[in-house]
Every structure is written in C-alpha cells, then in structure tokens.
Amino acid sequence: MPEKAKILDKEAIQRSLTRIAHEVIEKNKGAGNLCLIGIRTRGAFLAQRLSECIKHIDNIDVPVGILDITLYRDDLALAKSQPIVRKTEINFGLEGKDVVLVDDVLYTGRTIRSALDALIDFGRPKTIQLAVLVDRGHRELPIRADYVGKNIPTAKNEKIEVRLLESEGKDEVVLTED
C-alpha cells in the first residue's frame, strides 16, 4: 500500500504517550490502583511504554499484562486460515483494579469489544478505561476511548499503520491507501 502521509514520528508518539500518562494519573487520582493491559501485539508494547511514562511521572510501578483476543473475535468464522492463538500474560489480579486497556488503533470497535469479553474472564475490575494511540473513526459499536494520542479521521479506503521499534524496527504512524 502506498504511503499518503506520515502522521506521527518517534517524538510525536512519545509526546502522545507522555500526555496520556498524565491524563491517566489525573483521572485516577494517582497510579496506586492502576494496571495496564495491552492488546497483543502493538497494544502490549504501548502498554509497557505507558507504564514507563507513569513510573517516570508518579514513581509507581504499574503492572502490565498482555491480552490475546484471538478466540474472542466475532470474525473467526470469516477467517481464511487457522487463527494463531498466542499467550495471554496477566500475572496479577484484576479484582477491584482500575484497568487501562491499551491498543494502537481504534477503528470499528470490534477489537475492543472482544478485549472486554476476554478481560472479564480474568476478574471483575473496578473500572475499565481505554487508551489508544490513534482513533481513526468509523465505529460500528458504541465504544469510545478515554485517552487518545491522536484523532485521525480517515476514508474507508485508507488505513493507519502503526510501526513500533519493538515490532517493525522504527517508531512512526503512517496513513496508507488501498
């Protein structure tokens, strides 16, 4: 897919995560009851970075978990091949916690709906909040992010690609077109 525009570079991604970290701390009156759950794959990397930002700001180690939502997706029957199920890694209790679910791009809302279903199987948090690096619109479900790095209205034929150092070797968000 040809790139139309670079939306965020490395510095802009870091600024967005720092701002989100401040907003999370403010809304929750500190980080003492927080835990972060990243949706595999890029959401997990962003959750880890967000935890580091919160530690830098509030000097509290916020636990980070990784959630695989493969078996909770509503489009499994439409898949052309066998889905690859990866490990969910949540090594702490969610009961009574303020959970911040983290993902890279919010689009239709179906991934988040799947993540909510999966998350509830691990306990009953006090709250579940949503943080995304990019919100591109086109919701199909009534889901909204509590924390957004950047709102990028897109056309249906456009796609947002989040590339992170941990997975693609560089930090950037680009707009591509079919």
Side-chain angles (χ1 to χ4, degrees):
M1 284 187 210
E3 283 185 22
K4 282 180 75 173
K6 185 183 282 192
I7 306 297
L8 300 171
D9 60 13
K10 178 181 179 176
E11 291 77 20
I13 290 172
Q14 184 57 46
R15 280 192 305 274
S16 293
L17 290 173
T18 300
R19 181 176 38 76
I20 289 170
H22 280 282
E23 291 174 3
V24 167
I25 292 166
E26 183 177 340
K27 181 174 182 176
N28 292 282
K29 297 176 178 52
N33 197 45
L34 285 178
C35 61
L36 303 173
I37 306 288
I39 299 174
R40 194 175 289 278
T41 295
R42 285 174 200 82
F45 299 139
L46 292 170
Q48 187 59 49
R49 290 185 188 189
L50 199 52
S51 176
E52 292 165 10
C53 288
I54 291 170
K55 168 117 175 127
H56 181 74
I57 297 164
D58 216 28
N59 202 30
I60 293 177
D61 283 314
V62 176
V64 178
I66 301 171
L67 186 65
D68 182 83
I69 62 162
T70 304
L71 295 177
Y72 292 86
R73 296 190 58 90
D74 62 5
D75 60 357
L76 275 181
L78 304 175
K80 293 179 176 81
S81 61
Q82 273 305 95
I84 298 171
V85 180
R86 295 184 188 94
K87 186 177 180 185
T88 287
E89 301 172 37
I90 301 175
N91 304 321
F92 47 87
L94 299 181
E95 298 293 326
K97 289 290 200 180
D98 293 307
V99 173
V100 179
L101 189 60
V102 182
D103 203 11
D104 57 349
V105 178
L106 178 57
Y107 180 36
T108 63
R110 293 186 179 279
T111 296
I112 302 307
R113 189 221 38 94
S114 299
L116 292 169
D117 288 346
L119 199 56
I120 295 302
D121 283 349
F122 287 89
R124 189 171 191 277
K126 177 181 171 190
T127 63
I128 301 174
Q129 301 160 45
L130 177 60
V132 297
L133 184 60
V134 175
D135 183 345
R136 63 169 288 199
H138 302 286
R139 218 73 78 240
E140 295 174 4
L141 300 173
I143 290 176
R144 162 187 78 71
D146 299 281
Y147 314 100
V148 177
K150 180 117 175 130
N151 284 292
I152 304 171
T154 60
K156 290 272 189 176
N157 68 326
E158 294 175 323
K159 183 177 177 187
I160 297 291
E161 288 186 20
V162 174
R163 301 171 184 157
L164 298 177
L165 187 61
E166 298 89 338
S167 51
E168 286 81 22
K170 61 182 170 182
D171 283 341
E172 64 182 6
V173 176
V174 296
L175 179 68
T176 62
E177 190 171 34
D178 285 339

